[in-house]
Amino acid sequence: MNFEEYVKQNFDRYIHEMTEMLRIPSISTLEENKPDMIRCADYVAGKLKEAGLSKVEIFPTKGHPVVYGEWLGAKGKPTVLIYGHYDVQPVDPIDLWESPPFEPVIKDGKIYARGATDDKGQVFAHIKSVEALLKTTGSLPVNVKFIIEGEEEIGSPNLAPFIKANKKLLKADSIMISDTALYAPGQPTICYGLRGLCYMEIEVTGPNRDLHSGTYGGAVANPINILADIISKLHDKNRKITIPGFYDDVVKATKKERDNFKLLEHSDAKYAKELEVAELLGEKGYTTIERAGIRPTLDCNGIWGGFTGAGAKTVIPSKASAKISMRLVPNQDPEKIARLFTAHIKNLAPKSVKVKITSLHGADAAMAPIDSKAVKAASAAMEKAFGKKTVFTREGGSIPVVALFARELKAPSVLMGIGLNTENLHSPNEHFNLNHFRLGVLSSGYFFEEFSK
Ligand code: BES
Ligand code: MN
Ligand code: MN
């Protein structure tokens, strides 16, 4: 049996096993899911062993375990390090799920569950291509190492020390990552840039206790009103960010890149319609693709304070808070941005309130060299699997480890994602297209062949 036949004959089992993994609620940010994290790491390790890797190991960290696996039997051939994450985002708002997030359901060729597209399904594609090759040919065209972590969704806090301490173990000629999106269904895509992140929290405190809004209203600062004032001042009328110095270090996209983006098929009307908004909104002077990929942004991710239950309660709250994240582009330093943000917020806040600002986490933006041997091999592999020419994009999301890999392992990354940005990652009813999964398994196998040449 050859590789393709094996994939075909075992495809139902592949999906069944993916379902088992999707049943494990590996939410990295929640303390109560700690045992599930261990269970999920064990599950991944088990699949790597069954795939036929020669060494599989679970490394404990201060946080969630890292799963490692290797097959190094291709003497004289290059080594590929495959990175992915087995942790997932929380499921709330749970009421908006049409089926429970950890009870996978298949509908119209898509599998619905938290983590389906981000990133369990995508990780599975590589595990299963390795299995198919090892079971049919007894070997792989290249040496392969896996590093599947459990803390990506919380900023990979314990991965940096792990990588620094295990440079030899992780040494590779290229790093393969499937945790991004296809530009469109059926469209082979390599992503060559990711944004960075600076995630902050603001707490505004007014009076020392909640007050009757009739007896005190009008005489004292309301922290929610003040917080809203502050947030509203963070963009100007052109939707540029007003923090002094925010854009100082931005590396602008080249004309060639911007011209390339114009060649991608895109319709603002369709984009707006899919999201059910009457009109799109973003920074003046840039297209939608540019706004969501190559420009830095600032967004409020959560806001709370006062009375939020059903009905009315007349109260001026003592406190109001917001979580604000900024997506960064190459050369913007998350720590510097955090300092500029803090200074600006302090400056905007009137004396009538106190503000406390904390930095939650950050990630560097990353660019992957587009002309590396590995990218060329991945591009050809995807073309072979999908039967279409590969396009190159930059994505707005972040994968903290990509910049770290470039710095510590000095090997080029290839972002060969097979998800879709419309697959509700981080949102209710997350799903993953099973045809893309199949094409991803094939692409992965073809990549190993191409890269060994
Ligand atoms: N897989 C995503 C990142 C992504 C999604 C890149 C779509 C490109 C297209 C990843 O799991 C993710 O969600 N990252 C977080 C990072 C953060 C928690 C440090 C993000 O981007 O918010
Ligand atoms: Mn991901
Ligand atoms: Mn994610």
Side-chain angles (χ1 to χ4, degrees):
M1 211 190 301
N2 70 16
F3 170 64
E4 285 90 349
E5 280 165 32
Y6 184 93
V7 172
K8 201 168 174 182
Q9 291 198 10
N10 290 276
F11 197 64
D12 287 344
R13 177 176 55 82
Y14 282 4
I15 291 171
H16 175 75
E17 290 176 20
M18 190 198 295
T19 303
E20 291 175 340
M21 186 177 176
L22 290 170
R23 281 185 193 283
I24 307 172
S26 49
I27 305 170
S28 49
T29 198
L30 299 180
E31 197 52 38
E32 71 233 46
N33 290 101
K34 236 182 147 150
D36 301 309
M37 296 305 295
I38 292 169
R39 218 151 45 87
C40 201
D42 281 342
Y43 190 84
V44 173
K47 291 295 132 186
L48 291 175
K49 271 182 212 146
E50 281 168 34
L53 294 191
S54 44
K55 187 171 127 191
V56 176
E57 209 172 322
I58 297 176
F59 289 92
T61 71
K62 273 191 206 148
H64 304 306
V66 170
V67 183
Y68 174 83
E70 66 179 32
W71 185 93
L72 303 178
K75 276 224 167 64
K77 292 292 184 182
T79 301
V80 178
L81 176 66
I82 299 167
Y83 164 86
H85 63 93
Y86 67 84
D87 64 324
V88 303
Q89 287 271 327
V91 297
D92 58 290
I94 185 84
D95 301 349
L96 297 182
W97 284 81
E98 279 166 29
S99 53
F102 298 108
E103 291 172 30
V105 166
I106 296 173
K107 220 170 64 189
D108 301 330
K110 296 163 195 155
I111 187 161
Y112 285 78
R114 168 58 84 232
T117 188
D118 185 13
D119 182 35
K120 289 174 174 174
Q122 299 203 45
V123 165
F124 234 68
H126 293 294
I127 299 179
K128 291 303 162 189
S129 80
V130 165
E131 176 192 310
L133 285 169
L134 285 175
K135 303 285 171 195
T136 51
T137 67
S139 71
L140 297 175
V142 291
N143 300 296
V144 164
K145 298 176 176 177
F146 277 88
I147 176 172
I148 312 297
E149 71 151 321
E151 298 193 325
E152 196 276 344
E153 299 291 8
I154 51 172
S156 301
N158 294 298
L159 199 58
F162 179 82
I163 291 171
K164 284 179 188 155
N166 292 285
K167 279 192 197 181
K168 227 176 118 191
L169 181 75
L170 301 173
K171 190 174 164 15
D173 299 288
S174 81
I175 299 149
M176 165 57 75
I177 302 174
S178 291
D179 192 23
T180 52
L182 300 171
Y183 183 68
Q187 171 61 62
T189 308
I190 305 270
C191 170
Y192 66 93
L194 292 164
R195 285 195 286 202
L197 188 67
C198 172
Y199 202 121
M200 308 293 291
E201 187 165 320
I202 312 180
E203 185 190 70
V204 178
T205 306
N208 61 3
R209 60 187 187 279
D210 287 7
L211 302 172
H212 189 291
S213 69
T215 53
Y216 286 91
V220 64
N222 177 326
I224 301 182
N225 294 20
I226 300 287
L227 179 59
D229 282 350
I230 292 173
I231 292 171
S232 73
K233 286 179 185 145
L234 297 176
H235 289 96
D236 70 12
K237 64 175 191 315
N238 293 324
R239 306 301 301 171
K240 293 237 181 262
I241 295 154
T242 55
I243 300 168
F246 182 83
Y247 292 101
D248 281 1
D249 301 327
V250 165
V251 176
K252 288 225 169 95
T254 61
K255 173 155 188 325
K256 194 173 151 209
E257 271 191 288
R258 295 186 71 183
D259 285 346
N260 258 331
F261 295 143
K262 287 188 195 127
L263 301 177
L264 295 170
E265 210 180 291
H266 170 85
S267 150
D268 270 0
K270 243 171 93 183
Y271 193 100
K273 190 164 176 231
E274 199 265 322
L275 299 173
E276 297 181 55
V277 293
E279 185 175 85
L280 301 179
L281 181 69
E283 188 184 359
K284 198 174 165 192
Y286 295 91
T287 64
T288 299
I289 293 179
E290 292 171 340
R291 287 170 178 172
I294 62 165
R295 292 298 295 165
T297 58
L298 181 151
D299 276 290
C300 193
N301 300 109
I303 184 161
W304 66 99
F307 180 67
T308 56
K313 178 187 179 197
T314 46
V315 63
I316 294 175
S318 169
K319 285 181 193 298
S321 302
K323 291 185 191 282
I324 296 181
S325 70
M326 290 158 279
R327 293 286 165 176
L328 309 178
V329 298
N331 224 22
Q332 282 183 298
D333 171 14
E335 283 172 25
K336 179 175 169 189
I337 295 295
R339 283 197 299 274
L340 296 176
F341 176 89
T342 305
H344 188 53
I345 301 289
K346 291 215 160 126
N347 204 27
L348 288 177
K351 281 217 183 71
S352 49
V353 297
K354 291 189 273 291
V355 288
K356 194 172 112 198
I357 300 160
T358 32
S359 168
L360 296 185
H361 58 65
D364 288 324
M367 293 290 269
I370 189 165
D371 54 359
S372 71
K373 249 190 80 185
V375 165
K376 286 186 181 144
S379 165
M382 281 193 118
E383 284 181 19
K384 185 171 171 192
F386 286 71
K388 241 179 131 173
K389 226 174 148 40
T390 301
V391 298
F392 291 82
T393 59
R394 275 172 69 173
E395 287 272 13
S398 312
I399 305 175
V401 76
V402 176
L404 193 71
F405 276 145
R407 234 180 2 251
E408 298 296 332
L409 302 182
K410 309 225 167 4
S413 283
V414 185
L415 300 164
M416 190 175 84
I418 49 170
L420 288 172
N421 284 335
T422 51
E423 286 181 328
N424 290 15
L425 46 162
H426 297 202
S427 162
N429 306 311
E430 178 174 352
H431 54 278
F432 183 42
N433 181 309
L434 291 172
N435 191 44
H436 291 153
F437 170 61
R438 185 180 64 80
L439 296 172
V441 176
L442 296 177
S443 299
S444 171
Y446 297 156
F447 168 75
F448 300 137
E449 276 166 30
E450 290 287 334
F451 194 54
S452 76
K453 284 181 188 166

